[in-house]
Amino acid sequence: QVQLEESGGGLVQAGDRLRLSCAVSGGTFDRLGISYLIVGWFRQAPGKEREFVAAYSWHDRTTRYADSVKGRFTVYRDFAENTVALQMIGLKPEDTAVYYCAADSGLTTAYYTPNYHHWGPGTQVTVSS
């Protein structure tokens, strides 16, 4: 059973920055043994559906973003910490949501869909105006 853990959420003001991290509980992403691993970030605001934010492709280091966060969010692999980080700058009140990381194989799951097999419990990000 793959368990993911998010960290780094919190309460910030509009315009601030925040860095979220996603780690494999008790292990590393390399040891998951998932072919063409993709690690995705999603978010869900109250009363709304879970939406795609960003994704990192393990084998070719490709990154993808939702239009709403392009230029403000950066997803990358943190080699030192064995995590996949989501650096967020220029935060807006509409970025307020619970942020989830997820992992799956790109061979079976489209990176932008919330159909990943493995999910973390989420971390709250609240941006005040």
Side-chain angles (χ1 to χ4, degrees), residues 46-112:
K48 294 188 177 181
E49 294 186 351
R50 192 168 296 190
E51 64 174 2
F52 168 73
V53 175
Y56 178 88
S57 178
W58 213 253
H59 72 284
D60 61 5
R61 305 185 183 185
T62 300
T63 57
R64 292 179 172 88
Y65 301 92
D67 288 343
S68 59
V69 306
K70 280 182 181 177
R72 299 189 299 121
F73 290 12
T74 303
V75 61
Y76 63 95
R77 179 180 175 183
D78 188 319
F79 288 85
E81 296 185 359
N82 285 314
T83 62
V84 174
L86 183 68
Q87 178 68 56
M88 306 183 292
I89 66 172
L91 283 163
K92 305 174 181 180
E94 51 263 44
D95 293 319
T96 295
V98 177
Y99 282 70
Y100 300 89
C101 71
D104 208 334
S105 170
L107 296 176
T108 57
T109 300
Y111 68 88
Y112 54 87

Coordinates of all heavy atoms in Angstrom, one line a residue, residues 46-112:
P46 N -14.0 24.1 -1.1 CA -15.3 23.7 -0.6 C -16.4 23.8 -1.6 O -16.5 24.9 -2.3 CB -15.5 24.6 0.6 CG -14.2 25.0 1.0 CD -13.3 25.1 -0.2
G47 N -17.2 22.8 -1.8 CA -18.2 22.8 -2.8 C -17.8 22.7 -4.2 O -18.7 22.8 -5.1
K48 N -16.6 22.4 -4.5 CA -16.1 22.3 -5.8 C -15.5 20.9 -6.1 O -15.1 20.3 -5.1 CB -15.1 23.4 -6.2 CG -15.7 24.8 -6.2 CD -14.6 25.8 -6.7 CE -15.3 27.2 -6.8 NZ -14.3 28.2 -7.3
E49 N -15.3 20.6 -7.3 CA -14.7 19.3 -7.6 C -13.2 19.4 -7.5 O -12.6 20.5 -7.6 CB -15.1 18.9 -9.1 CG -16.6 18.6 -9.2 CD -16.9 18.0 -10.6 OE1 -16.0 18.1 -11.5 OE2 -18.0 17.6 -10.8
R50 N -12.6 18.3 -7.3 CA -11.1 18.2 -7.3 C -10.6 18.6 -8.7 O -11.0 18.1 -9.7 CB -10.6 16.9 -6.9 CG -9.2 16.8 -6.5 CD -8.9 15.5 -5.8 NE -9.6 15.4 -4.5 CZ -9.3 14.4 -3.6 NH1 -8.4 13.5 -3.9 NH2 -10.0 14.3 -2.5
E51 N -9.6 19.5 -8.7 CA -9.1 19.9 -10.0 C -7.5 19.8 -10.1 O -6.8 19.9 -9.1 CB -9.4 21.4 -10.2 CG -8.8 22.4 -9.3 CD -9.1 23.8 -9.7 OE1 -9.8 24.1 -10.7 OE2 -8.6 24.7 -9.0
F52 N -7.1 19.5 -11.3 CA -5.7 19.4 -11.5 C -4.9 20.7 -11.3 O -5.4 21.8 -11.7 CB -5.5 18.9 -13.0 CG -4.1 18.9 -13.5 CD1 -3.1 18.0 -13.0 CD2 -3.7 19.9 -14.4 CE1 -1.8 18.1 -13.5 CE2 -2.4 20.0 -14.8 CZ -1.5 19.0 -14.4
V53 N -3.7 20.6 -10.8 CA -2.9 21.8 -10.6 C -1.6 21.7 -11.3 O -1.3 22.5 -12.1 CB -2.6 22.0 -9.1 CG1 -1.6 23.2 -8.9 CG2 -3.9 22.2 -8.3
A54 N -0.9 20.6 -11.1 CA 0.4 20.4 -11.7 C 0.8 18.9 -11.7 O 0.3 18.2 -10.9 CB 1.5 21.3 -11.0
A55 N 1.7 18.6 -12.6 CA 2.2 17.2 -12.6 C 3.7 17.1 -13.0 O 4.1 18.0 -13.8 CB 1.4 16.3 -13.5
Y56 N 4.4 16.1 -12.4 CA 5.8 15.9 -12.7 C 5.9 14.5 -13.2 O 5.5 13.5 -12.6 CB 6.6 16.1 -11.4 CG 8.1 15.9 -11.6 CD1 8.9 16.9 -12.0 CD2 8.6 14.6 -11.4 CE1 10.3 16.7 -12.2 CE2 10.0 14.4 -11.6 CZ 10.8 15.5 -12.0 OH 12.1 15.3 -12.2
S57 N 6.5 14.4 -14.4 CA 6.8 13.1 -15.0 C 8.2 12.6 -14.6 O 9.2 13.3 -14.9 CB 6.6 13.1 -16.5 OG 6.9 11.9 -17.1
W58 N 8.3 11.4 -14.0 CA 9.5 11.0 -13.4 C 10.6 10.7 -14.5 O 11.7 11.0 -14.3 CB 9.3 9.7 -12.6 CG 10.2 9.6 -11.4 CD1 11.2 8.7 -11.2 CD2 10.1 10.3 -10.2 NE1 11.8 8.9 -10.0 CE2 11.1 9.9 -9.3 CE3 9.2 11.4 -9.7 CZ2 11.3 10.4 -8.1 CZ3 9.5 11.9 -8.5 CH2 10.5 11.4 -7.7
H59 N 10.2 10.0 -15.6 CA 11.2 9.4 -16.5 C 11.8 10.5 -17.4 O 12.9 10.4 -17.8 CB 10.6 8.3 -17.3 CG 9.6 8.8 -18.4 ND1 8.3 9.2 -18.1 CD2 9.8 8.9 -19.7 CE1 7.7 9.5 -19.2 NE2 8.6 9.4 -20.2
D60 N 11.0 11.6 -17.7 CA 11.6 12.6 -18.6 C 11.6 14.0 -17.9 O 11.9 15.0 -18.6 CB 10.9 12.6 -19.9 CG 9.4 12.9 -19.8 OD1 8.9 13.2 -18.7 OD2 8.7 12.9 -20.8
R61 N 11.2 14.1 -16.7 CA 11.1 15.3 -15.9 C 10.2 16.4 -16.5 O 10.4 17.6 -16.3 CB 12.6 15.8 -15.7 CG 13.5 14.9 -15.1 CD 14.9 15.4 -14.8 NE 15.8 14.4 -14.2 CZ 17.0 14.7 -13.8 NH1 17.5 15.9 -13.9 NH2 17.7 13.7 -13.3
T62 N 9.3 15.9 -17.3 CA 8.3 16.9 -17.9 C 7.4 17.4 -16.8 O 7.0 16.7 -15.9 CB 7.5 16.2 -19.0 OG1 8.3 15.7 -20.0 CG2 6.5 17.1 -19.6
T63 N 7.1 18.7 -16.9 CA 6.1 19.3 -16.0 C 4.9 19.9 -16.8 O 5.1 20.3 -17.9 CB 6.8 20.4 -15.2 OG1 7.3 21.4 -16.1 CG2 7.9 19.9 -14.3
R64 N 3.8 19.8 -16.1 CA 2.6 20.3 -16.7 C 1.8 21.1 -15.7 O 1.8 20.8 -14.5 CB 1.7 19.2 -17.3 CG 2.4 18.6 -18.6 CD 1.6 17.5 -19.1 NE 2.1 16.9 -20.4 CZ 3.0 16.0 -20.5 NH1 3.5 15.4 -19.4 NH2 3.4 15.6 -21.6
Y65 N 1.0 22.1 -16.2 CA 0.3 23.0 -15.2 C -1.1 23.3 -15.7 O -1.3 23.4 -16.9 CB 1.1 24.3 -15.0 CG 2.5 24.1 -14.5 CD1 3.6 24.0 -15.3 CD2 2.7 24.0 -13.1 CE1 4.8 23.8 -14.8 CE2 3.9 23.8 -12.6 CZ 5.0 23.7 -13.5 OH 6.3 23.5 -13.0
A66 N -2.0 23.5 -14.8 CA -3.3 24.1 -15.1 C -3.1 25.5 -15.5 O -2.1 26.2 -15.0 CB -4.2 24.0 -13.9
D67 N -3.9 26.0 -16.4 CA -3.8 27.4 -16.9 C -3.8 28.4 -15.8 O -3.2 29.4 -15.8 CB -4.9 27.7 -17.9 CG -4.6 27.0 -19.3 OD1 -3.5 26.6 -19.5 OD2 -5.6 26.9 -20.0
S68 N -4.6 28.1 -14.8 CA -4.8 29.0 -13.6 C -3.6 29.2 -12.8 O -3.5 30.2 -12.0 CB -6.0 28.5 -12.8 OG -5.7 27.2 -12.2
V69 N -2.6 28.3 -12.9 CA -1.4 28.5 -12.0 C -0.1 28.7 -12.8 O 0.9 28.9 -12.2 CB -1.3 27.3 -11.1 CG1 -2.6 27.0 -10.3 CG2 -0.9 26.0 -11.9
K70 N -0.2 28.6 -14.1 CA 1.0 28.8 -15.0 C 1.7 30.1 -14.7 O 1.0 31.2 -14.6 CB 0.6 28.7 -16.4 CG 0.4 27.3 -17.0 CD 0.1 27.3 -18.5 CE -0.1 25.9 -19.0 NZ -0.5 25.9 -20.4
G71 N 3.0 30.1 -14.5 CA 3.7 31.3 -14.2 C 3.8 31.6 -12.7 O 4.6 32.4 -12.3
R72 N 3.0 30.9 -11.9 CA 3.0 31.2 -10.5 C 3.4 29.9 -9.7 O 4.0 30.1 -8.6 CB 1.6 31.6 -10.0 CG 1.1 32.9 -10.6 CD -0.2 33.4 -9.9 NE -1.3 32.4 -10.1 CZ -1.9 31.8 -9.0 NH1 -1.6 32.2 -7.8 NH2 -2.9 31.0 -9.2
F73 N 3.1 28.8 -10.2 CA 3.4 27.5 -9.5 C 4.5 26.8 -10.2 O 4.5 26.8 -11.5 CB 2.2 26.6 -9.3 CG 1.1 27.1 -8.4 CD1 1.1 28.4 -7.9 CD2 0.1 26.3 -8.0 CE1 0.1 28.9 -7.1 CE2 -0.9 26.7 -7.2 CZ -0.9 28.0 -6.7
T74 N 5.4 26.1 -9.5 CA 6.4 25.3 -10.1 C 6.5 24.0 -9.4 O 6.6 23.9 -8.2 CB 7.8 26.0 -10.0 OG1 7.7 27.3 -10.6 CG2 8.8 25.1 -10.7
V75 N 6.4 22.9 -10.1 CA 6.5 21.5 -9.6 C 7.9 21.0 -9.9 O 8.3 21.1 -11.1 CB 5.4 20.6 -10.1 CG1 5.4 20.4 -11.6 CG2 5.4 19.3 -9.4
Y76 N 8.5 20.4 -9.0 CA 9.9 19.9 -9.2 C 10.2 18.8 -8.2 O 9.6 18.6 -7.2 CB 10.9 21.0 -9.2 CG 11.0 21.6 -7.8 CD1 12.0 21.2 -6.9 CD2 10.2 22.7 -7.4 CE1 12.1 21.8 -5.6 CE2 10.3 23.3 -6.2 CZ 11.3 22.9 -5.3 OH 11.4 23.5 -4.1
R77 N 11.2 18.0 -8.6 CA 11.7 16.9 -7.8 C 12.8 17.5 -6.9 O 13.7 18.0 -7.4 CB 12.2 15.8 -8.6 CG 12.7 14.6 -7.8 CD 13.2 13.5 -8.8 NE 13.8 12.4 -8.0 CZ 14.4 11.4 -8.6 NH1 14.3 11.3 -9.9 NH2 14.9 10.4 -7.9
D78 N 12.6 17.3 -5.6 CA 13.6 17.8 -4.6 C 14.5 16.5 -4.3 O 14.1 15.7 -3.6 CB 13.0 18.3 -3.4 CG 14.0 18.9 -2.4 OD1 15.1 18.4 -2.3 OD2 13.7 20.0 -1.9
F79 N 15.7 16.5 -4.9 CA 16.5 15.3 -4.8 C 17.0 15.1 -3.3 O 17.1 14.0 -2.8 CB 17.7 15.4 -5.8 CG 17.3 15.2 -7.2 CD1 16.8 16.2 -8.0 CD2 17.4 13.9 -7.7 CE1 16.4 16.0 -9.3 CE2 17.0 13.7 -9.1 CZ 16.5 14.7 -9.8
A80 N 17.3 16.2 -2.7 CA 17.8 16.2 -1.4 C 16.8 15.6 -0.4 O 17.2 14.9 0.6 CB 18.3 17.5 -0.9
E81 N 15.6 15.9 -0.5 CA 14.5 15.5 0.4 C 13.7 14.3 -0.1 O 12.8 13.9 0.6 CB 13.6 16.7 0.7 CG 14.3 17.9 1.4 CD 13.3 19.0 1.8 OE1 12.1 18.8 1.5 OE2 13.8 20.0 2.4
N82 N 14.0 13.9 -1.3 CA 13.2 12.8 -1.9 C 11.7 13.1 -1.9 O 10.9 12.3 -1.5 CB 13.4 11.5 -1.1 CG 14.8 10.8 -1.4 OD1 15.2 10.7 -2.5 ND2 15.5 10.5 -0.3
T83 N 11.4 14.3 -2.3 CA 10.0 14.7 -2.4 C 9.7 15.3 -3.7 O 10.7 15.6 -4.5 CB 9.7 15.7 -1.3 OG1 10.5 16.9 -1.5 CG2 9.9 15.2 0.1
V84 N 8.5 15.5 -4.0 CA 8.1 16.3 -5.1 C 7.4 17.6 -4.6 O 6.4 17.5 -3.8 CB 7.1 15.6 -6.0 CG1 6.5 16.5 -7.1 CG2 7.7 14.4 -6.7
A85 N 8.0 18.7 -4.9 CA 7.6 19.9 -4.3 C 6.7 20.7 -5.2 O 6.8 20.6 -6.4 CB 8.8 20.8 -3.9
L86 N 5.9 21.6 -4.6 CA 5.0 22.5 -5.4 C 5.3 23.9 -4.8 O 4.9 24.2 -3.7 CB 3.6 22.2 -5.3 CG 2.6 23.1 -6.1 CD1 2.8 22.8 -7.6 CD2 1.2 22.8 -5.7
Q87 N 6.1 24.7 -5.5 CA 6.4 26.0 -5.1 C 5.3 26.9 -5.6 O 5.1 27.0 -6.8 CB 7.8 26.4 -5.6 CG 8.2 27.9 -5.2 CD 8.4 28.0 -3.7 OE1 9.2 27.3 -3.1 NE2 7.7 28.9 -3.1
M88 N 4.7 27.7 -4.7 CA 3.6 28.6 -5.1 C 4.0 30.0 -4.8 O 4.3 30.3 -3.6 CB 2.3 28.2 -4.4 CG 2.0 26.7 -4.6 SD 0.4 26.2 -3.8 CE 0.8 26.4 -2.1
I89 N 3.9 30.9 -5.7 CA 4.2 32.3 -5.5 C 3.0 33.1 -6.0 O 2.1 32.6 -6.7 CB 5.4 32.8 -6.2 CG1 5.3 32.7 -7.7 CG2 6.7 32.0 -5.7 CD1 6.5 33.4 -8.4
G90 N 2.9 34.4 -5.6 CA 1.8 35.2 -6.0 C 0.4 34.6 -5.7 O -0.5 34.6 -6.5
L91 N 0.3 34.0 -4.5 CA -0.9 33.3 -4.1 C -2.1 34.3 -4.1 O -2.0 35.5 -3.7 CB -0.8 32.6 -2.8 CG 0.0 31.3 -2.8 CD1 0.5 30.9 -1.5 CD2 -0.8 30.2 -3.5
K92 N -3.3 33.7 -4.5 CA -4.5 34.5 -4.6 C -5.5 33.8 -3.7 O -5.5 32.6 -3.4 CB -5.0 34.5 -6.0 CG -4.0 35.0 -7.0 CD -4.6 34.9 -8.5 CE -3.6 35.4 -9.5 NZ -4.1 35.2 -10.9
P93 N -6.5 34.6 -3.3 CA -7.6 33.9 -2.4 C -8.2 32.8 -3.1 O -8.6 31.8 -2.5 CB -8.6 35.1 -2.2 CG -7.7 36.3 -2.3 CD -6.7 36.0 -3.3
E94 N -8.3 32.8 -4.4 CA -8.9 31.7 -5.2 C -8.1 30.4 -5.2 O -8.5 29.4 -5.7 CB -9.3 32.1 -6.6 CG -8.2 32.7 -7.4 CD -8.3 34.3 -7.3 OE1 -8.6 34.8 -6.2 OE2 -8.1 34.9 -8.4
D95 N -6.9 30.5 -4.7 CA -6.0 29.3 -4.6 C -6.3 28.6 -3.3 O -5.8 27.5 -3.0 CB -4.5 29.7 -4.5 CG -4.1 30.3 -5.9 OD1 -4.5 29.8 -6.9 OD2 -3.3 31.3 -5.8
T96 N -7.2 29.1 -2.4 CA -7.5 28.5 -1.2 C -8.2 27.1 -1.5 O -9.2 27.0 -2.2 CB -8.5 29.4 -0.4 OG1 -7.8 30.5 0.0 CG2 -9.0 28.6 0.9
A97 N -7.7 26.1 -0.9 CA -8.2 24.7 -1.1 C -7.4 23.7 -0.3 O -6.3 24.1 0.3 CB -8.1 24.3 -2.6
V98 N -7.9 22.5 -0.3 CA -7.0 21.4 0.2 C -6.2 20.9 -0.9 O -6.8 20.6 -2.0 CB -7.9 20.3 0.8 CG1 -7.0 19.1 1.3 CG2 -8.7 20.8 2.0
Y99 N -4.9 20.8 -0.8 CA -4.0 20.4 -1.8 C -3.6 18.9 -1.6 O -3.2 18.6 -0.5 CB -2.8 21.3 -1.9 CG -3.1 22.6 -2.6 CD1 -3.9 23.5 -1.9 CD2 -2.6 22.9 -3.8 CE1 -4.2 24.8 -2.6 CE2 -2.9 24.1 -4.5 CZ -3.7 25.0 -3.8 OH -4.0 26.2 -4.4
Y100 N -3.7 18.1 -2.6 CA -3.4 16.7 -2.6 C -2.3 16.4 -3.6 O -2.3 16.9 -4.7 CB -4.6 15.9 -3.0 CG -5.9 16.1 -2.1 CD1 -6.8 17.0 -2.4 CD2 -6.1 15.2 -1.0 CE1 -7.9 17.2 -1.6 CE2 -7.2 15.4 -0.2 CZ -8.1 16.4 -0.5 OH -9.3 16.6 0.3
C101 N -1.5 15.5 -3.2 CA -0.6 14.9 -4.1 C -1.0 13.5 -4.4 O -1.7 12.8 -3.6 CB 0.9 14.9 -3.7 SG 1.3 13.8 -2.3
A102 N -0.7 13.0 -5.6 CA -1.1 11.7 -6.1 C 0.0 11.1 -7.0 O 0.8 11.8 -7.6 CB -2.4 11.8 -6.9
A103 N 0.0 9.8 -7.0 CA 1.0 9.1 -7.8 C 0.4 7.9 -8.6 O -0.5 7.3 -8.1 CB 2.1 8.5 -6.9
D104 N 0.9 7.7 -9.8 CA 0.4 6.6 -10.6 C 1.3 6.5 -11.8 O 2.2 7.3 -12.0 CB -1.1 6.9 -11.1 CG -1.8 5.6 -11.3 OD1 -1.2 4.6 -11.6 OD2 -3.1 5.6 -11.2
S105 N 1.0 5.5 -12.6 CA 1.7 5.3 -13.9 C 1.1 6.1 -15.0 O -0.1 6.1 -15.2 CB 1.7 3.8 -14.3 OG 2.2 3.7 -15.6
G106 N 1.9 6.8 -15.7 CA 1.5 7.5 -16.9 C 1.0 6.6 -18.0 O 0.4 7.1 -19.0
L107 N 1.2 5.3 -17.9 CA 0.8 4.4 -18.9 C -0.7 4.1 -18.8 O -1.4 3.7 -19.8 CB 1.5 3.1 -18.8 CG 3.0 3.1 -19.1 CD1 3.7 1.8 -18.8 CD2 3.3 3.6 -20.5
T108 N -1.3 4.4 -17.6 CA -2.7 4.0 -17.4 C -3.5 5.2 -16.9 O -4.7 5.1 -16.9 CB -2.8 2.9 -16.3 OG1 -2.1 3.4 -15.1 CG2 -2.1 1.6 -16.7
T109 N -2.9 6.3 -16.6 CA -3.6 7.4 -16.0 C -3.2 8.7 -16.7 O -2.0 9.0 -16.8 CB -3.4 7.6 -14.5 OG1 -3.8 6.4 -13.9 CG2 -4.1 8.7 -13.9
A110 N -4.1 9.5 -17.2 CA -3.8 10.8 -17.8 C -3.5 11.7 -16.6 O -4.2 11.8 -15.6 CB -5.0 11.3 -18.6
Y111 N -2.4 12.5 -16.8 CA -1.9 13.3 -15.7 C -2.9 14.3 -15.1 O -2.8 14.7 -14.0 CB -0.6 14.1 -16.1 CG -0.9 15.1 -17.2 CD1 -1.2 16.4 -16.8 CD2 -0.8 14.9 -18.5 CE1 -1.4 17.4 -17.7 CE2 -1.0 15.9 -19.5 CZ -1.3 17.1 -19.0 OH -1.5 18.1 -20.0
Y112 N -3.8 14.8 -16.0 CA -4.7 15.9 -15.5 C -6.0 15.3 -14.9 O -6.9 16.1 -14.5 CB -5.0 16.7 -16.8 CG -5.6 16.0 -17.9 CD1 -6.9 15.7 -18.1 CD2 -4.7 15.5 -18.9 CE1 -7.4 15.0 -19.1 CE2 -5.2 14.8 -20.0 CZ -6.5 14.5 -20.1 OH -7.0 13.8 -21.2

